Amino acid sequence: MGKIKVKNPIVELDGDEMARVMWKWIKEELIFPYLDIPIKYFDLGIQNRDATSDMVTLEAAKAIKEYKVGVKCATITPDQERVKEYNLKKAWKSPNATIRAYLDGTVFRKPIIVKNIPPYVKTWKKPVIIGRHAYGDIYNAFEYRVEEPAEIEVIVKNSEVKEFKVHTFDGKGIFMVLHNTEKSIRSFAKSCINYALSEKVDLWFSAKDTISKIYHGYFKEIFQEEVERRKEDFEKAGINYRYFLIDDAVAQILKSEGGMLWACMNYEGDVMSDMIAAGFGSLGLMTSVLVSPEGEYEFEAAHGTVRRHYYEYLKGNKTSTNPTASIFAWTGGIRKRGELDGTPEVVNFANKLEEATIKTIESGIMTKDLQPQAYPPVDRYYYTEDFIKAVKERLEFLLKE
Ligand code: NAP
Ligand code: MG
């Protein structure tokens, strides 16, 4: 069987530790034997980031802008401990933060649904996808601790100067000043709309505009405007937009069967994404995609470099690390490439590889992280390499069909 030709490049961002080890196995066993892909490779491994003074991260971000599709392996975000461990020049910034800032993108987290790994919330049948606005609000706020009676005023200076009384303290207390920008909110809304259209899922946005009529109201207004501009695309895709009060949304999500993109303001997204991830079970089944307002995509696993397993691997021990989310980073990128290039055989390959992975787990062949959650229960777990081999066998079978 000849390889399937992929027309345009996929940008590959390599990473660190156990994630990098699995990433290589995935490429060698499940991708490169079947696809002829022009890869634009960037080594974001910590040693190369250090050697290039992190220029490689920016180069990779530029390449994603140019080619529209990237796939990324998990990378170390160094702290002082890592600076020592890898003898680094400094604690380089998080590559994800650099790339997200360059593309002005939004991160969406989507769980992979497997029949025999039931979510803790039994109504959930389809993924609940979370999009978190990652700028402003309490994350870029001014905070102050008042130690004695005080008057608080806000002064707005532009062509004129306006002063507003905020609060009079009779004793100790605290206050905070929040902000956000039209540009950032609009980019967020656009990325959410791009993602919902691309995945053909309903878009939910929630805030508390009944209480915060101006601040939260502004978010609601911008979402409404951006949705209005893409009205025809929504109709074509057969999806809907709904605005909810945040408390209503939380209750509706728990009662729903899933299958929507839930766009959240910064704090709600931070909290809810962890709740939803826990509700679906394993980190090994959580995928993540960065989408820019211009429609550039970078796919990755939501988990990190799985450091503890890597140290075992370095000792020569086999590990049972779950490669599923990393496989789906590749399939996500390959499918998107095929869609943008108009090459259905490439899209088909991505679908087949996902199907092979899911069916392998559903047949009871799974890694250690999933075993405690499996229903019906399974009596053993598989090492990563053996799991990948089982996926490969099934893939070969599906490709022959
Ligand atoms: P982690 O890689 O997310 O792993 C934490 C723990 O979760 C693992 O020790 C393992 O639990 C479990 N786990 C995560 N992914 C798994 C998988 N695929 N299969 C099986 N178990 C899995 O976090 P970490 O080890 O604390 O962080 C390591 C590095 O990752 C850090 O340097 C951090 O900066 C980086 N990081 C990168 C990204 C990214 O690039 N997107 C995201 C998060 C963290 P057990 O040990 O109990 O088996
Ligand atoms: Mg959080």
Side-chain angles (χ1 to χ4, degrees):
M1 199 182 60
K3 289 192 193 182
I4 301 163
K5 179 111 189 73
V6 179
K7 236 197 225 165
N8 285 299
I10 290 181
V11 180
E12 178 192 347
L13 288 66
D14 213 339
D16 289 299
E17 300 192 319
M18 201 60 213
R20 185 182 179 108
V21 174
M22 294 197 290
W23 190 255
K24 179 162 176 281
W25 291 340
I26 293 167
K27 287 190 285 188
E28 286 174 355
E29 296 294 330
L30 303 176
I31 312 288
F32 294 160
Y34 307 100
L35 294 185
D36 183 6
I37 320 180
I39 291 281
K40 300 284 168 193
Y41 179 85
F42 294 86
D43 185 359
L44 267 62
I46 189 68
Q47 288 94 343
N48 194 44
R49 273 183 279 149
D50 199 51
T52 62
S53 297
D54 208 22
M55 283 316 290
V56 66
T57 306
L58 198 61
E59 296 299 320
K62 286 181 183 162
I64 296 173
K65 186 136 210 82
E66 179 173 357
Y67 298 107
K68 306 256 181 258
V69 182
V71 291
K72 179 177 170 290
C73 176
T75 46
I76 289 171
T77 297
D79 51 15
Q80 282 315 313
E81 196 190 337
R82 298 298 210 161
V83 169
K84 261 201 219 132
E85 181 181 1
Y86 288 95
N87 193 19
L88 307 176
K89 289 186 248 174
K90 62 181 255 194
W92 302 105
K93 263 179 65 181
S94 148
N96 288 23
T98 302
I99 297 164
R100 192 175 66 211
Y102 185 82
L103 295 175
D104 189 20
T106 297
V107 174
F108 300 94
R109 274 177 155 204
K110 178 183 175 189
I112 299 159
I113 305 286
V114 186
K115 279 203 199 92
N116 54 339
I117 310 292
Y120 293 109
V121 177
K122 60 178 189 283
T123 48
W124 290 350
K125 303 274 185 282
K126 299 181 206 160
V128 175
I129 307 155
I130 292 256
R132 169 184 171 190
H133 184 214
Y135 178 79
D137 307 349
I138 66 166
Y139 301 85
N140 308 73
F142 171 76
E143 296 190 314
Y144 194 83
R145 204 171 145 142
V146 176
E147 297 294 355
E148 54 188 307
E151 286 258 317
I152 309 303
E153 287 181 1
V154 171
I155 303 174
V156 181
K157 292 185 187 170
N158 39 34
S159 52
E160 48 180 332
V161 176
K162 287 184 193 149
E163 293 183 15
F164 302 91
K165 278 206 165 33
V166 176
H167 190 71
T168 306
F169 286 91
D170 323 325
K172 292 184 181 186
I174 42 178
F175 74 91
M176 171 155 49
V177 181
L178 308 184
H179 78 276
N180 224 303
T181 67
E182 189 209 342
K183 181 171 179 291
S184 175
I185 301 168
R186 210 172 279 286
S187 293
F188 174 55
K190 283 182 181 166
S191 295
C192 290
I193 292 166
N194 282 340
Y195 184 89
L197 290 170
S198 156
E199 294 275 317
K200 298 202 173 42
V201 290
D202 284 349
L203 172 59
W204 292 19
F205 175 63
S206 55
K208 192 77 179 181
D209 71 306
T210 45
I211 299 299
S212 168
K213 292 188 169 61
I214 294 177
Y215 197 107
H216 284 220
Y218 195 60
F219 277 81
K220 181 182 175 185
E221 200 179 295
I222 290 176
F223 262 79
Q224 193 62 50
E225 282 169 16
E226 292 300 325
V227 166
E228 209 57 48
R229 288 181 351 115
R230 302 291 297 270
K231 212 173 154 192
E232 277 175 26
D233 295 327
F234 271 78
E235 273 162 24
K236 248 186 261 159
I239 62 168
N240 295 303
Y241 168 71
R242 293 176 71 184
Y243 171 77
F244 293 86
L245 284 171
I246 180 75
D247 32 1
D248 188 20
V250 171
Q252 298 292 336
I253 286 285
L254 273 189
K255 290 188 285 184
S256 80
E257 62 163 28
M260 74 290 282
L261 164 60
W262 183 15
C264 292
M265 288 173 66
N266 209 346
Y267 176 73
E268 287 74 21
D270 183 351
V271 176
M272 290 306 155
S273 61
D274 286 324
M275 193 205 52
I276 299 286
F280 275 102
S282 169
L283 258 181
L285 293 181
M286 186 61 77
T287 65
S288 159
V289 50
L290 175 74
V291 182
S292 80
E294 318 309 328
E296 290 114 5
Y297 294 78
E298 182 210 54
F299 296 83
E300 70 170 334
H303 61 74
T305 62
V306 213
R307 185 179 185 177
R308 193 186 66 77
H309 295 211
Y310 184 59
Y311 296 152
E312 287 303 313
Y313 169 83
L314 288 181
K315 283 188 233 156
N317 297 330
K318 286 197 168 203
T319 71
S320 180
T321 319
N322 192 347
T324 305
S326 300
I327 295 173
F328 275 63
W330 275 100
T331 54
I334 292 165
R335 182 184 303 102
K336 182 51 73 184
R337 184 73 278 163
E339 284 169 7
L340 294 177
D341 292 349
T343 47
E345 64 284 7
V346 173
V347 173
N348 181 54
F349 174 81
N351 292 340
K352 288 270 156 83
L353 179 49
E354 289 188 357
E355 187 186 342
T357 310
I358 288 173
K359 290 225 166 113
T360 300
I361 300 173
E362 288 179 348
S363 77
I365 299 177
M366 62 185 72
T367 43
K368 193 177 180 182
D369 54 314
L370 299 183
Q371 194 189 7
Q373 246 180 283
Y375 190 85
V378 291
D379 52 13
R380 62 164 290 200
Y381 64 80
Y382 288 72
Y383 293 125
T384 308
E385 287 162 283
D386 300 329
F387 175 79
I388 290 175
K389 270 196 202 105
V391 172
K392 187 180 176 76
E393 262 172 41
R394 208 169 272 270
L395 174 66
E396 302 241 330
F397 174 77
L398 289 175
L399 288 175
K400 278 190 206 116
E401 273 185 347

